[in-house]
Amino acid sequence: MNIHYPNGRKFMNQLSTSQTVKARKDPTYSNRGMTLEEDLNETNEFYLLNNIAVIHKKPTPVQIVEVNYPKRSAAVIKEAYFKQASTTDYNGVYKGKYIDFEAKETKNSTSFPLQNFHEHQIQHMEKVIQQDGICFVILRFSSTEEMFLLEAKQLLSYWERMKVGGRKSITKEELLSTAHPISLGFRPRIDYIKKIDCLYNL
Amino acid sequence: MNIHYPNGRKFMNQLSTSQTVKARKDPTYSNRGMTLEEDLNETNEFYLLNNIAVIHKKPTPVQIVEVNYPKRSAAVIKEAYFKQASTTDYNGVYKGKYIDFEAKETKNSTSFPLQNFHEHQIQHMEKVIQQDGICFVILRFSSTEEMFLLEAKQLLSYWERMKVGGRKSITKEELLSTAHPISLGFRPRIDYIKKIDCLYNL
């Protein structure tokens, strides 16, 4: 299971003993690259403010076990656990059409591991395609900052290949021929709607 | 702010002193009415299993402050707070179209209080309408089990009326003339997709 901080940054489990960690508050990103999620949040905000599209990241699903209600202040969740999401992380609407996607990064440089996705998400994508929703993934190679928009139907074919014993990743070459490169921009940072507009003649 | 248990049931703040409450685990609903949320979850599951539509409730947004990573077991959230949602609770896809709605119950019998909605949700509905999404609310009078599907554009007009000093609720008569009644069924419990299908000629 992937554990995420509230800002969606993945938790790297290198702690060997029980330890309590305070979640970071709004770090500044001035001197380093932003994560894919940060870039996408900025992009979605840009789309929202400029009436281009309404796309939101879904909240991290949490199983709440214990809540404390102190006198005269807000309820405090005292025990809760991260749950695995049953859908993709992002969805919304563009020109009346349903938009649905997942975004993943890898540190690999020559191929994108399929283990970044889990069975539930793949099943969700199949369902969305059945309902004629627009469904895709955004893949980023963090070492080179290369980014691709891969339509879900293509991802499903790579997933199928893996299930019948084939390779557990998508090679860069395969992405170059079956996915659509996206270059990092300024505003918006990741203009995936522009790609979707072209691909689907919207 | 509305506080919800993980199952979405609204927390009724009648505790006067600091108190810790364990969230209920799966009660049985045999001998009493189900909440609107429970009925909608069942409905959405029915739609999903029967390939009718893909609609999910969004997870409750939570601001995580402190996480404990015990040795050899799952991460435990030790401090977190409920956040106000910036969107509606339900969205998804039906025949390629974006579907977006909110569901609310009242104990009143003659009118539906507008305070059940908050400004953020109203703004979100405006944005969705601008993008040609299908947006509505499902309103239930819990005392009589009467239910209505009210299109968001209608809700917005009642909201506007309130903002210019008009009444703070929608009367039952107004709903009878501007909304669409939904009767409680067996499977699915609340067949809102059928209404949408008729209303939008899908």
Side-chain angles (χ1 to χ4, degrees), chain A residues 5 24 26 28-29 34 40 59 61 71 85 90-91 93 96 110 132 139 146 149 158 163 168 171 194 196 198:
Chain A
Y5 280 114
R24 285 179 308 118
D26 280 331
T28 52
Y29 300 107
M34 286 166 78
L40 283 169
K71 216 171 172 178
Y90 299 88
N91 74 358
V93 58
T110 55
D132 280 329
L139 308 178
E146 277 172 292
L149 185 156
Y158 293 125
K163 299 254 280 196
K168 294 186 173 64
T171 66
K194 196 174 165 188
I196 290 301
C198 298

Side-chain angles (χ1 to χ4, degrees), chain A residues 13-197:
Chain A
N13 204 333
Q14 72 281 80
L15 306 176
S16 58
T17 55
S18 178
Q19 207 170 326
T20 285
V21 180
K22 287 271 175 186
R24 285 179 308 118
K25 270 190 194 170
D26 280 331
T28 52
Y29 300 107
S30 45
N31 284 317
R32 60 177 186 77
M34 286 166 78
T35 64
L36 181 53
E37 172 164 343
E38 287 155 358
D39 281 337
L40 283 169
N41 287 348
E42 243 190 54
T43 299
N44 291 337
E45 212 175 314
F46 176 88
Y47 288 154
L48 196 65
L49 288 172
N50 294 279
N51 299 319
I52 295 167
V54 182
I55 317 272
H56 288 275
K57 182 174 187 295
K58 294 190 182 179
T60 304
V62 157
Q63 179 69 49
I64 299 169
V65 174
E66 192 182 317
V67 184
N68 193 344
Y69 302 94
K71 216 171 172 178
R72 278 191 287 274
S73 55
V76 190
I77 299 162
K78 299 302 289 177
E79 185 187 348
Y81 298 90
F82 294 101
K83 281 197 298 186
Q84 192 164 62
S86 52
T87 66
T88 48
D89 275 356
Y90 299 88
N91 74 358
V93 58
Y94 172 61
K95 293 184 180 172
K97 300 286 187 187
Y98 178 72
I99 305 289
D100 189 299
F101 68 97
E102 185 62 44
K104 295 288 185 191
E105 269 179 299
T106 184
K107 287 180 179 170
N108 286 14
S109 54
T110 55
S111 69
F112 205 96
L114 287 163
Q115 68 186 19
N116 276 291
F117 301 95
H118 56 77
E119 191 68 42
H120 267 131
Q121 289 182 317
I122 298 290
Q123 282 163 11
H124 173 72
M125 292 179 199
E126 281 170 348
K127 292 276 187 184
V128 169
I129 292 171
Q130 266 180 43
Q131 276 302 321
D132 280 329
I134 294 174
C135 192
F136 55 93
V137 291
I138 293 174
L139 308 178
R140 176 144 84 179
F141 291 89
S142 50
S143 57
T144 58
E145 295 225 322
E146 277 172 292
M147 235 177 340
F148 295 93
L149 185 156
L150 179 70
E151 290 178 85
K153 64 182 178 195
Q154 283 291 344
L155 176 67
L156 293 175
S157 72
Y158 293 125
W159 189 264
E160 269 313 301
R161 181 179 67 181
M162 176 181 73
K163 299 254 280 196
V164 297
R167 53 177 304 135
K168 294 186 173 64
S169 65
I170 313 170
T171 66
K172 179 79 69 70
E173 287 69 39
E174 285 171 334
L175 286 175
L176 286 166
S177 67
T178 59
H180 310 275
I182 304 183
S183 46
L184 199 63
F186 175 54
R187 276 193 183 174
R189 302 269 302 167
I190 302 174
D191 199 357
Y192 62 87
I193 283 290
K194 196 174 165 188
K195 287 280 171 213
I196 290 301
D197 206 275

Side-chain angles (χ1 to χ4, degrees), chain B residues 140-156:
Chain B
R140 177 144 82 178
F141 291 89
S142 51
S143 58
T144 58
E145 295 225 323
E146 277 172 292
M147 236 177 340
F148 296 93
L149 185 156
L150 179 68
E151 289 178 85
K153 63 183 180 198
Q154 283 291 345
L155 176 67
L156 293 175

Side-chain angles (χ1 to χ4, degrees), chain B residues 80-95:
Chain B
Y81 298 89
F82 294 100
K83 281 197 298 185
Q84 193 164 62
S86 52
T87 66
T88 48
D89 274 357
Y90 299 88
N91 75 358
V93 57
Y94 172 61
K95 294 186 181 171

Side-chain angles (χ1 to χ4, degrees), chain B residues 181-198:
Chain B
I182 304 184
S183 46
L184 199 63
F186 176 53
R187 275 192 184 171
R189 302 270 299 166
I190 302 174
D191 200 357
Y192 62 89
I193 282 290
K194 197 174 164 187
K195 287 281 171 212
I196 290 301
D197 206 275
C198 299

